[in-house]
Amino acid sequence: MQKILILDLGGPYTQHVARRVRECHVYCEVFPAARMTVEAVRAFDPIGIILSGGTAGVSSPNAPRVDKALYALGIPVLGICYAGNLIALDHGGTVEPGEDSRCHSRTLTKLDTDHVLFREHPEDAITWMCNGERITSLPEGFTVTASTANCPVAAFACEEKGLYGVRFHPEVPYTKGGVEMVRQFLYRVCGAVGDWHMETYAAETIQSIRERVGDGNVVLALSGGVDSSVAAALLSNAVGSRLTCIFVDHGMLRKDEGDQVEAIFSRMDLNFIRVNAREQFLSRLAGVTDPEEKRHIIGEEFLKVFEAEAARMGAVDFLAQGTIYPDVTELCHNYADVLQSPHKTGIHPEHIRFKELLEPLRPLFKEEVRALGRTMGLPETLVNRQPFPGPGLAIRIIGEITPEKIRILQEADHIFRSHLESAHIHDHITQYFAVLTDTQTIDITGADRSPKYILALRGVTTDDFMTAKWARLPYELLDNISHTIIQNVPEISRVVYDITSKPPATIEWE
Ligand code: XMP
């Protein structure tokens, strides 16, 4: 399989670059630029290299660099934004400081449409341009391939050396047709043939699982979320009834979710164990209000329940996990940590007696996992399932968790979600849910004017979960939802809609 190597220089969009490359059916991997020696690059054997953007300026003292020997490997290199400047500087060009290098804007850009990267584009394009440093003179043998009113060198190339630079980000949607530019680099410059497809991945992975597992047994922690469900389908296809899926129901799932997961998986040719551990979780969570403590307790209890079940099976040969690529990519910028650390209810392999770990989704992005799920014949309701945090409703009930609050939230959340689904709006919203606040306001409908809970509704659209916009829901729909909730959930006196984006807020409330 052909591979593209992406070297991360610390910019915020590195993961987008990787996703665009994969969308073009070319396999790629991301590595931190600082740790990739030229020997390691050779060993990786890529057909092309993409250097990502960065947050510093190339002339700042700690600016990330690449080994210049990289340019002489005979492998085409595309430098994006910061890396475009770096390529120019490394070859004797001049780069001068500009405005803040983190500041980007949509910019009218004149493209040389005879140039290989821009052949499919109109001459006047909109690009997501960095307002930082500017290339004021290009090295000898390099030509300008795009410019803007303020930036005479918005893109350049030295075809003879296989070097290409763009001062904008083709990988983000703000650059119109940017993915086509990436495609041109892959197919016309690097000679990609497009051999990365989920059908092939499924067939090859099933085969390799069979070879690795032999007649051993496999145990998988199944949450009912997309990743573990697709992993279950893949493993089940590979080893059939030698797979056991353990589904720990902690009692804080959405309404009817536990039964739905059970219904789907008990139909498959695998051993499905549902452990109802609601009491165990709720008793440990009694009186706990701190969100991180809630997460910690849930993680611990989850592990205990899972371990106890696995121990009953005796020695396990293989422990499988639904780890995906964003969980393991080492990106230089801060967001990688934000998404990784608290968000996987991680099983610590050292706690379970097993011989080997299987992670069949490890190289895949979320969209690829969904595509793989479709290839495996999983129902659309499961493949399209929105992300649901491991601790579940525990972090959507602000303050103390009680059985009554869980019931109230489940009912209200169900009404909210069903309305969006009936209005066919849910497909355009990445994540939507209700939050039970711990604030109460007066309800004037009852004789006693007793205080009741405020319920918050949240809907966001996002591509990467690092930033998110609040979803613009029609007023009529919101009105309908609010009425239905108030009528059917008597413990709620008020419904509010969260209109905060991320940043500054997070998607969840806790
Ligand atoms: P935030 O709230 O950090 O959420 O903006 C980003 C994404 O992560 C999910 N999330 C979690 N997922 N365990 C999880 O498995 C958690 O503790 C957790 N906290 C947040 C959140 O639903 C969103 O998709």
Side-chain angles (χ1 to χ4, degrees):
M1 190 172 58
Q2 296 181 319
K3 288 179 286 185
I4 290 286
L5 172 66
I6 298 171
L7 293 182
D8 182 21
L9 289 155
Y13 303 123
T14 311
Q15 211 182 104
H16 290 70
V17 180
R19 288 166 58 191
R20 297 299 91 79
V21 172
R22 299 268 191 99
E23 275 164 28
C24 293
H25 299 292
V26 181
Y27 184 71
C28 64
E29 285 185 32
V30 182
F31 293 95
R35 287 210 237 129
M36 202 69 176
T37 61
V38 171
E39 291 70 43
V41 173
R42 261 203 213 98
F44 186 78
D45 191 23
I47 58 165
I49 299 172
I50 302 182
L51 306 178
S52 82
T55 50
V58 283
S59 35
S60 62
N62 296 325
R65 296 260 184 270
V66 295
D67 187 334
K68 286 189 193 169
L70 194 86
Y71 303 124
L73 290 174
I75 304 168
V77 179
L78 170 66
I80 294 177
C81 194
Y82 168 88
N85 293 347
L86 189 62
I87 294 177
L89 190 74
D90 281 348
H91 290 84
T94 323
V95 178
E96 286 181 7
E99 296 163 37
D100 184 352
S101 61
R102 285 162 304 183
C103 178
H104 294 78
S105 56
R106 285 194 177 92
T107 308
L108 184 63
T109 309
K110 275 236 168 306
L111 303 177
D112 170 2
T113 51
D114 287 333
H115 179 63
V116 61
L117 295 193
F118 309 132
R119 242 172 242 165
E120 307 296 324
H121 287 78
E123 205 183 350
D124 291 324
I126 297 294
T127 67
W128 187 240
M129 180 76 68
C130 173
N131 300 319
E133 298 164 314
R134 295 184 330 151
I135 300 172
T136 43
S137 77
L138 272 177
E140 226 184 283
F142 284 53
T143 50
V144 176
T145 55
S147 57
T148 75
N150 294 324
C151 178
V153 186
F156 63 84
C158 174
E159 313 233 3
E160 196 194 321
K161 295 193 165 91
L163 299 176
Y164 302 80
V166 287
R167 294 277 309 101
F168 51 85
H169 290 273
E171 72 277 20
V172 299
Y174 304 126
T175 296
K176 257 187 121 193
V179 70
E180 271 316 309
M181 300 175 188
V182 174
R183 196 190 307 277
Q184 297 295 323
F185 176 70
L186 300 173
Y187 284 80
R188 303 229 178 163
V189 177
C190 304
V193 294
D195 55 3
W196 174 246
H197 292 276
M198 283 307 107
E199 292 79 5
T200 332
Y201 182 81
E204 286 172 359
T205 310
I206 289 169
Q207 184 55 28
S208 85
I209 294 171
R210 279 193 190 133
E211 283 163 15
R212 235 180 114 186
V213 171
D215 56 5
N217 57 57
V218 185
V219 66
L220 169 78
L222 182 74
S223 69
V226 181
D227 303 341
S228 62
S229 300
V230 174
L234 207 55
L235 289 158
S236 154
N237 212 299
V239 303
S241 57
R242 274 177 294 112
L243 169 68
T244 302
C245 293
I246 302 178
F247 169 53
V248 179
D249 183 347
H250 53 33
M252 289 161 290
L253 298 172
R254 289 165 288 197
K255 189 179 177 185
D256 301 329
E257 197 166 22
D259 296 343
Q260 287 162 5
V261 171
E262 185 171 352
I264 292 173
F265 286 94
S266 26
R267 279 199 300 267
M268 288 191 187
D269 180 25
L270 48 79
N271 302 307
F272 176 86
I273 300 175
R274 173 175 179 175
V275 191
N276 289 316
R278 175 187 161 99
E279 300 315 321
Q280 180 173 336
F281 279 86
L282 291 193
S283 63
R284 277 248 13 231
L285 287 166
V288 176
T289 54
D290 177 65
E292 287 320 306
E293 204 183 333
K294 287 179 184 174
R295 283 188 169 88
H296 182 73
I297 291 173
I298 290 169
E300 260 186 16
E301 289 309 306
F302 178 85
L303 203 61
K304 277 191 214 159
V305 176
F306 186 79
E307 273 175 34
E309 276 310 311
R312 287 208 287 152
M313 294 172 53
V316 171
D317 297 312
F318 294 86
L319 174 70
Q321 292 196 144
T323 316
I324 67 170
Y325 196 50
D327 301 328
V328 293
T329 6
E330 293 179 69
L331 297 175
C332 296
H333 53 81
N334 301 333
Y335 284 127
D337 297 335
V338 177
L339 270 177
Q340 273 174 35
S341 50
H343 295 172
K344 285 259 155 177
T345 320
I347 295 167
H348 302 295
E350 65 269 24
H351 291 283
I352 293 173
R353 282 188 302 131
F354 67 95
K355 289 188 204 143
E356 280 185 52
L357 185 66
L358 288 179
E359 294 180 313
L361 309 179
R362 199 177 166 87
L364 306 185
F365 283 110
K366 196 79 167 188
E367 306 91 277
E368 293 172 320
V369 175
R370 292 189 204 278
L372 179 62
R374 286 189 192 100
T375 307
M376 307 289 310
L378 287 180
E380 223 26 58
T381 45
L382 210 150
V383 166
N384 268 334
R385 191 164 260 181
Q386 57 175 298
F388 184 63
L393 301 184
I395 56 165
R396 293 180 181 170
I397 293 172
I398 311 303
E400 189 180 356
I401 301 157
T402 63
E404 198 209 6
K405 283 184 177 176
I406 295 175
R407 183 190 52 75
I408 297 170
L409 181 56
Q410 279 177 335
E411 289 305 324
D413 179 70
H414 177 68
I415 294 171
F416 179 41
R417 288 188 298 119
S418 326
H419 272 73
L420 294 195
E421 284 150 27
S422 321
H424 302 289
I425 282 184
H426 63 296
D427 283 347
H428 310 292
I429 307 175
T430 323
Q431 212 174 348
Y432 47 96
F433 53 88
V435 175
L436 189 65
T437 74
D438 58 352
T439 306
Q440 300 196 341
T441 55
I442 301 298
D443 171 4
I444 56 166
T445 57
D448 57 354
R449 294 171 63 92
S450 58
K452 293 174 179 175
Y453 289 111
I454 299 180
L455 181 87
L457 306 177
R458 179 103 166 116
V460 294
T461 53
T462 172
D463 192 30
D464 54 13
F465 296 91
M466 298 167 190
T467 60
K469 278 189 188 164
W470 61 274
R472 272 58 173 174
L473 297 184
Y475 283 173
E476 278 306 307
L477 181 67
L478 282 170
D479 187 41
N480 235 323
I481 293 167
S482 163
H483 267 296
T484 318
I485 290 176
I486 296 289
Q487 269 176 359
N488 292 281
V489 192
E491 295 84 357
I492 292 172
S493 62
R494 195 176 289 252
V495 178
V496 298
Y497 186 58
D498 183 350
I499 53 165
T500 329
S501 289
K502 174 181 180 176
T506 49
I507 295 174
E508 301 290 344
W509 272 38
E510 281 201 331

PDB file of all heavy atoms in Angstrom, residues 40-67:
ATOM      1  N   ALA A  40      14.515   7.288   9.381  1.00  0.00           N
ATOM      2  CA  ALA A  40      13.151   6.826   9.688  1.00  0.00           C
ATOM      3  C   ALA A  40      12.221   7.129   8.515  1.00  0.00           C
ATOM      4  O   ALA A  40      11.334   6.341   8.195  1.00  0.00           O
ATOM      5  CB  ALA A  40      12.646   7.487  10.960  1.00  0.00           C
ATOM      6  N   VAL A  41      12.448   8.269   7.868  1.00  0.00           N
ATOM      7  CA  VAL A  41      11.615   8.622   6.714  1.00  0.00           C
ATOM      8  C   VAL A  41      11.845   7.596   5.606  1.00  0.00           C
ATOM      9  O   VAL A  41      10.906   7.070   5.008  1.00  0.00           O
ATOM     10  CB  VAL A  41      11.946  10.043   6.197  1.00  0.00           C
ATOM     11  CG1 VAL A  41      11.194  10.329   4.897  1.00  0.00           C
ATOM     12  CG2 VAL A  41      11.595  11.086   7.261  1.00  0.00           C
ATOM     13  N   ARG A  42      13.114   7.288   5.361  1.00  0.00           N
ATOM     14  CA  ARG A  42      13.437   6.288   4.320  1.00  0.00           C
ATOM     15  C   ARG A  42      12.773   4.957   4.636  1.00  0.00           C
ATOM     16  O   ARG A  42      12.188   4.313   3.774  1.00  0.00           O
ATOM     17  CB  ARG A  42      14.953   6.079   4.259  1.00  0.00           C
ATOM     18  CG  ARG A  42      15.572   6.860   3.154  1.00  0.00           C
ATOM     19  CD  ARG A  42      16.903   6.269   2.714  1.00  0.00           C
ATOM     20  NE  ARG A  42      17.743   7.366   2.306  1.00  0.00           N
ATOM     21  CZ  ARG A  42      18.671   7.931   3.064  1.00  0.00           C
ATOM     22  NH1 ARG A  42      18.942   7.460   4.257  1.00  0.00           N
ATOM     23  NH2 ARG A  42      19.353   8.951   2.624  1.00  0.00           N
ATOM     24  N   ALA A  43      12.861   4.569   5.911  1.00  0.00           N
ATOM     25  CA  ALA A  43      12.292   3.273   6.307  1.00  0.00           C
ATOM     26  C   ALA A  43      10.771   3.274   6.137  1.00  0.00           C
ATOM     27  O   ALA A  43      10.172   2.266   5.788  1.00  0.00           O
ATOM     28  CB  ALA A  43      12.652   2.976   7.754  1.00  0.00           C
ATOM     29  N   PHE A  44      10.142   4.413   6.354  1.00  0.00           N
ATOM     30  CA  PHE A  44       8.682   4.515   6.197  1.00  0.00           C
ATOM     31  C   PHE A  44       8.292   4.365   4.722  1.00  0.00           C
ATOM     32  O   PHE A  44       7.221   3.902   4.390  1.00  0.00           O
ATOM     33  CB  PHE A  44       8.202   5.856   6.766  1.00  0.00           C
ATOM     34  CG  PHE A  44       6.719   6.018   6.795  1.00  0.00           C
ATOM     35  CD1 PHE A  44       5.950   5.414   7.781  1.00  0.00           C
ATOM     36  CD2 PHE A  44       6.054   6.782   5.827  1.00  0.00           C
ATOM     37  CE1 PHE A  44       4.569   5.558   7.814  1.00  0.00           C
ATOM     38  CE2 PHE A  44       4.674   6.934   5.845  1.00  0.00           C
ATOM     39  CZ  PHE A  44       3.933   6.318   6.848  1.00  0.00           C
ATOM     40  N   ASP A  45       9.204   4.799   3.867  1.00  0.00           N
ATOM     41  CA  ASP A  45       9.060   4.641   2.421  1.00  0.00           C
ATOM     42  C   ASP A  45       7.795   5.294   1.843  1.00  0.00           C
ATOM     43  O   ASP A  45       6.980   4.630   1.189  1.00  0.00           O
ATOM     44  CB  ASP A  45       9.076   3.129   2.094  1.00  0.00           C
ATOM     45  CG  ASP A  45       9.213   2.891   0.600  1.00  0.00           C
ATOM     46  OD1 ASP A  45       9.716   3.787  -0.097  1.00  0.00           O
ATOM     47  OD2 ASP A  45       8.768   1.816   0.129  1.00  0.00           O
ATOM     48  N   PRO A  46       7.653   6.609   2.058  1.00  0.00           N
ATOM     49  CA  PRO A  46       6.445   7.276   1.547  1.00  0.00           C
ATOM     50  C   PRO A  46       6.562   7.634   0.067  1.00  0.00           C
ATOM     51  O   PRO A  46       7.685   7.784  -0.433  1.00  0.00           O
ATOM     52  CB  PRO A  46       6.399   8.563   2.383  1.00  0.00           C
ATOM     53  CG  PRO A  46       7.830   8.860   2.702  1.00  0.00           C
ATOM     54  CD  PRO A  46       8.555   7.550   2.762  1.00  0.00           C
ATOM     55  N   ILE A  47       5.420   7.809  -0.592  1.00  0.00           N
ATOM     56  CA  ILE A  47       5.462   8.294  -1.975  1.00  0.00           C
ATOM     57  C   ILE A  47       5.489   9.825  -1.996  1.00  0.00           C
ATOM     58  O   ILE A  47       5.755  10.443  -3.009  1.00  0.00           O
ATOM     59  CB  ILE A  47       4.273   7.773  -2.821  1.00  0.00           C
ATOM     60  CG1 ILE A  47       2.930   8.188  -2.172  1.00  0.00           C
ATOM     61  CG2 ILE A  47       4.344   6.277  -3.021  1.00  0.00           C
ATOM     62  CD1 ILE A  47       1.742   8.034  -3.103  1.00  0.00           C
ATOM     63  N   GLY A  48       5.170  10.441  -0.850  1.00  0.00           N
ATOM     64  CA  GLY A  48       5.206  11.897  -0.760  1.00  0.00           C
ATOM     65  C   GLY A  48       5.239  12.318   0.693  1.00  0.00           C
ATOM     66  O   GLY A  48       4.870  11.535   1.582  1.00  0.00           O
ATOM     67  N   ILE A  49       5.707  13.546   0.921  1.00  0.00           N
ATOM     68  CA  ILE A  49       5.776  14.051   2.301  1.00  0.00           C
ATOM     69  C   ILE A  49       4.985  15.351   2.360  1.00  0.00           C
ATOM     70  O   ILE A  49       5.116  16.199   1.467  1.00  0.00           O
ATOM     71  CB  ILE A  49       7.245  14.328   2.699  1.00  0.00           C
ATOM     72  CG1 ILE A  49       8.060  13.028   2.631  1.00  0.00           C
ATOM     73  CG2 ILE A  49       7.336  14.960   4.097  1.00  0.00           C
ATOM     74  CD1 ILE A  49       9.553  13.221   2.821  1.00  0.00           C
ATOM     75  N   ILE A  50       4.173  15.505   3.392  1.00  0.00           N
ATOM     76  CA  ILE A  50       3.497  16.790   3.612  1.00  0.00           C
ATOM     77  C   ILE A  50       3.974  17.341   4.946  1.00  0.00           C
ATOM     78  O   ILE A  50       3.944  16.638   5.970  1.00  0.00           O
ATOM     79  CB  ILE A  50       1.964  16.641   3.600  1.00  0.00           C
ATOM     80  CG1 ILE A  50       1.499  16.032   2.273  1.00  0.00           C
ATOM     81  CG2 ILE A  50       1.293  17.986   3.837  1.00  0.00           C
ATOM     82  CD1 ILE A  50      -0.013  15.876   2.120  1.00  0.00           C
ATOM     83  N   LEU A  51       4.442  18.568   4.919  1.00  0.00           N
ATOM     84  CA  LEU A  51       4.865  19.229   6.151  1.00  0.00           C
ATOM     85  C   LEU A  51       3.717  20.130   6.579  1.00  0.00           C
ATOM     86  O   LEU A  51       3.229  20.949   5.794  1.00  0.00           O
ATOM     87  CB  LEU A  51       6.126  20.064   5.910  1.00  0.00           C
ATOM     88  CG  LEU A  51       7.324  19.327   5.292  1.00  0.00           C
ATOM     89  CD1 LEU A  51       8.488  20.297   5.068  1.00  0.00           C
ATOM     90  CD2 LEU A  51       7.773  18.191   6.198  1.00  0.00           C
ATOM     91  N   SER A  52       3.292  19.988   7.823  1.00  0.00           N
ATOM     92  CA  SER A  52       2.099  20.705   8.272  1.00  0.00           C
ATOM     93  C   SER A  52       2.407  22.162   8.588  1.00  0.00           C
ATOM     94  O   SER A  52       3.563  22.574   8.618  1.00  0.00           O
ATOM     95  CB  SER A  52       1.556  20.056   9.545  1.00  0.00           C
ATOM     96  OG  SER A  52       2.276  20.530  10.667  1.00  0.00           O
ATOM     97  N   GLY A  53       1.353  22.899   8.915  1.00  0.00           N
ATOM     98  CA  GLY A  53       1.540  24.259   9.397  1.00  0.00           C
ATOM     99  C   GLY A  53       2.142  24.234  10.795  1.00  0.00           C
ATOM    100  O   GLY A  53       2.348  23.167  11.388  1.00  0.00           O
ATOM    101  N   GLY A  54       2.440  25.430  11.300  1.00  0.00           N
ATOM    102  CA  GLY A  54       2.995  25.522  12.658  1.00  0.00           C
ATOM    103  C   GLY A  54       2.430  26.763  13.312  1.00  0.00           C
ATOM    104  O   GLY A  54       1.718  27.542  12.674  1.00  0.00           O
ATOM    105  N   THR A  55       2.728  26.973  14.579  1.00  0.00           N
ATOM    106  CA  THR A  55       2.188  28.163  15.227  1.00  0.00           C
ATOM    107  C   THR A  55       3.245  29.256  15.371  1.00  0.00           C
ATOM    108  O   THR A  55       2.919  30.416  15.588  1.00  0.00           O
ATOM    109  CB  THR A  55       1.630  27.845  16.630  1.00  0.00           C
ATOM    110  OG1 THR A  55       2.627  27.108  17.333  1.00  0.00           O
ATOM    111  CG2 THR A  55       0.364  27.040  16.560  1.00  0.00           C
ATOM    112  N   ALA A  56       4.505  28.877  15.266  1.00  0.00           N
ATOM    113  CA  ALA A  56       5.571  29.875  15.434  1.00  0.00           C
ATOM    114  C   ALA A  56       5.858  30.546  14.089  1.00  0.00           C
ATOM    115  O   ALA A  56       5.237  30.238  13.079  1.00  0.00           O
ATOM    116  CB  ALA A  56       6.821  29.171  15.941  1.00  0.00           C
ATOM    117  N   GLY A  57       6.796  31.481  14.086  1.00  0.00           N
ATOM    118  CA  GLY A  57       7.297  32.041  12.837  1.00  0.00           C
ATOM    119  C   GLY A  57       8.620  31.351  12.536  1.00  0.00           C
ATOM    120  O   GLY A  57       9.337  30.969  13.468  1.00  0.00           O
ATOM    121  N   VAL A  58       8.982  31.182  11.254  1.00  0.00           N
ATOM    122  CA  VAL A  58      10.215  30.437  10.960  1.00  0.00           C
ATOM    123  C   VAL A  58      11.452  31.123  11.524  1.00  0.00           C
ATOM    124  O   VAL A  58      12.474  30.493  11.757  1.00  0.00           O
ATOM    125  CB  VAL A  58      10.443  30.191   9.445  1.00  0.00           C
ATOM    126  CG1 VAL A  58       9.567  29.090   8.932  1.00  0.00           C
ATOM    127  CG2 VAL A  58      10.301  31.441   8.633  1.00  0.00           C
ATOM    128  N   SER A  59      11.355  32.466  11.740  1.00  0.00           N
ATOM    129  CA  SER A  59      12.541  33.148  12.244  1.00  0.00           C
ATOM    130  C   SER A  59      12.586  33.219  13.777  1.00  0.00           C
ATOM    131  O   SER A  59      13.548  33.713  14.343  1.00  0.00           O
ATOM    132  CB  SER A  59      12.628  34.546  11.633  1.00  0.00           C
ATOM    133  OG  SER A  59      11.340  35.065  11.469  1.00  0.00           O
ATOM    134  N   SER A  60      11.551  32.696  14.445  1.00  0.00           N
ATOM    135  CA  SER A  60      11.595  32.744  15.915  1.00  0.00           C
ATOM    136  C   SER A  60      12.588  31.685  16.438  1.00  0.00           C
ATOM    137  O   SER A  60      12.818  30.673  15.784  1.00  0.00           O
ATOM    138  CB  SER A  60      10.207  32.556  16.514  1.00  0.00           C
ATOM    139  OG  SER A  60       9.707  31.311  16.162  1.00  0.00           O
ATOM    140  N   PRO A  61      13.173  31.935  17.621  1.00  0.00           N
ATOM    141  CA  PRO A  61      14.293  31.107  18.078  1.00  0.00           C
ATOM    142  C   PRO A  61      13.983  29.604  18.188  1.00  0.00           C
ATOM    143  O   PRO A  61      14.797  28.784  17.810  1.00  0.00           O
ATOM    144  CB  PRO A  61      14.633  31.684  19.461  1.00  0.00           C
ATOM    145  CG  PRO A  61      13.794  32.879  19.654  1.00  0.00           C
ATOM    146  CD  PRO A  61      12.827  33.011  18.544  1.00  0.00           C
ATOM    147  N   ASN A  62      12.793  29.258  18.695  1.00  0.00           N
ATOM    148  CA  ASN A  62      12.514  27.823  18.867  1.00  0.00           C
ATOM    149  C   ASN A  62      11.654  27.237  17.752  1.00  0.00           C
ATOM    150  O   ASN A  62      10.957  26.248  17.954  1.00  0.00           O
ATOM    151  CB  ASN A  62      11.814  27.590  20.203  1.00  0.00           C
ATOM    152  CG  ASN A  62      12.716  27.956  21.348  1.00  0.00           C
ATOM    153  OD1 ASN A  62      13.941  27.747  21.254  1.00  0.00           O
ATOM    154  ND2 ASN A  62      12.156  28.542  22.394  1.00  0.00           N
ATOM    155  N   ALA A  63      11.703  27.882  16.589  1.00  0.00           N
ATOM    156  CA  ALA A  63      10.845  27.429  15.495  1.00  0.00           C
ATOM    157  C   ALA A  63      11.179  25.981  15.133  1.00  0.00           C
ATOM    158  O   ALA A  63      12.351  25.629  15.020  1.00  0.00           O
ATOM    159  CB  ALA A  63      11.065  28.321  14.290  1.00  0.00           C
ATOM    160  N   PRO A  64      10.150  25.125  14.981  1.00  0.00           N
ATOM    161  CA  PRO A  64      10.442  23.740  14.603  1.00  0.00           C
ATOM    162  C   PRO A  64      11.042  23.651  13.198  1.00  0.00           C
ATOM    163  O   PRO A  64      10.702  24.452  12.322  1.00  0.00           O
ATOM    164  CB  PRO A  64       9.083  23.053  14.654  1.00  0.00           C
ATOM    165  CG  PRO A  64       8.081  24.130  14.652  1.00  0.00           C
ATOM    166  CD  PRO A  64       8.722  25.377  15.152  1.00  0.00           C
ATOM    167  N   ARG A  65      11.929  22.716  13.025  1.00  0.00           N
ATOM    168  CA  ARG A  65      12.639  22.557  11.747  1.00  0.00           C
ATOM    169  C   ARG A  65      12.532  21.118  11.269  1.00  0.00           C
ATOM    170  O   ARG A  65      12.163  20.230  12.040  1.00  0.00           O
ATOM    171  CB  ARG A  65      14.133  22.838  11.968  1.00  0.00           C
ATOM    172  CG  ARG A  65      14.437  24.257  12.385  1.00  0.00           C
ATOM    173  CD  ARG A  65      14.917  25.023  11.154  1.00  0.00           C
ATOM    174  NE  ARG A  65      15.316  26.366  11.474  1.00  0.00           N
ATOM    175  CZ  ARG A  65      14.513  27.425  11.455  1.00  0.00           C
ATOM    176  NH1 ARG A  65      13.254  27.288  11.132  1.00  0.00           N
ATOM    177  NH2 ARG A  65      14.949  28.629  11.746  1.00  0.00           N
ATOM    178  N   VAL A  66      12.923  20.900  10.030  1.00  0.00           N
ATOM    179  CA  VAL A  66      13.090  19.518   9.560  1.00  0.00           C
ATOM    180  C   VAL A  66      14.547  19.370   9.137  1.00  0.00           C
ATOM    181  O   VAL A  66      15.225  20.367   8.849  1.00  0.00           O
ATOM    182  CB  VAL A  66      12.165  19.182   8.362  1.00  0.00           C
ATOM    183  CG1 VAL A  66      10.713  19.228   8.782  1.00  0.00           C
ATOM    184  CG2 VAL A  66      12.408  20.108   7.174  1.00  0.00           C
ATOM    185  N   ASP A  67      15.002  18.136   9.117  1.00  0.00           N
ATOM    186  CA  ASP A  67      16.355  17.865   8.647  1.00  0.00           C
ATOM    187  C   ASP A  67      16.387  18.188   7.141  1.00  0.00           C
ATOM    188  O   ASP A  67      15.593  17.644   6.371  1.00  0.00           O
ATOM    189  CB  ASP A  67      16.658  16.380   8.890  1.00  0.00           C
ATOM    190  CG  ASP A  67      18.100  16.042   8.586  1.00  0.00           C
ATOM    191  OD1 ASP A  67      18.722  16.752   7.767  1.00  0.00           O
ATOM    192  OD2 ASP A  67      18.597  15.059   9.173  1.00  0.00           O
TER     193      ASP A  67
END
